Amino acid sequence: MYSAVLIKGKTYAVMGHVFLVNQVKDIEKKVYQYLDGNEFFICKEVKAPVDDIMKEEEEPAQEAKIYSETELKGMNKTEQEAIIIDLG
């Protein structure tokens, strides 16, 4: 598992991920390889303990948050795009 943090700029979109400044996002290996070395990001390889991996497999998948129309209208474009991408 890998993670990346945008440290410069406000937003950055790459390979289906929208990064907001100072927001930690879990990413795939190919995205990590693409962003590693980019001065706008801090990229790390995260190794989860074996116990945590087993717990994740046992837990049921969380349901997607349901947003109201008012909540969505109150968000800026970048926040709305991030939700769209997270929902697939």
Side-chain angles (χ1 to χ4, degrees):
M1 179 164 37
Y2 302 89
S3 68
V5 179
L6 178 64
I7 57 172
K8 293 182 181 178
K10 292 184 179 184
T11 62
Y12 193 97
V14 62
M15 296 183 186
H17 295 277
V18 176
F19 294 89
L20 303 176
V21 70
N22 297 325
Q23 177 189 27
V24 178
K25 279 195 84 117
D26 292 335
I27 56 174
E28 303 85 26
K29 185 176 182 178
K30 68 178 183 175
V31 180
Y32 169 81
Q33 291 171 334
Y34 181 81
L35 294 176
D36 193 32
N38 185 325
E39 66 184 41
F40 285 74
F41 287 89
I42 296 175
C43 298
K44 295 180 183 177
E45 182 175 0
V46 180
K47 294 188 178 184
V50 175
D51 291 341
D52 289 346
I53 293 171
M54 295 175 116
K55 288 179 185 175
E56 287 176 8
E57 292 174 356
E58 294 171 4
E59 294 175 5
Q62 291 182 347
E63 294 182 22
K65 182 178 182 332
I66 298 174
Y67 296 93
S68 69
E69 185 176 343
T70 307
E71 286 177 308
L72 292 170
K73 285 183 178 180
M75 295 179 184
N76 64 34
K77 180 181 177 185
T78 305
E79 292 170 326
Q80 292 172 350
E81 288 175 347
I83 291 170
I84 291 167
I85 289 171
D86 288 342
L87 293 174

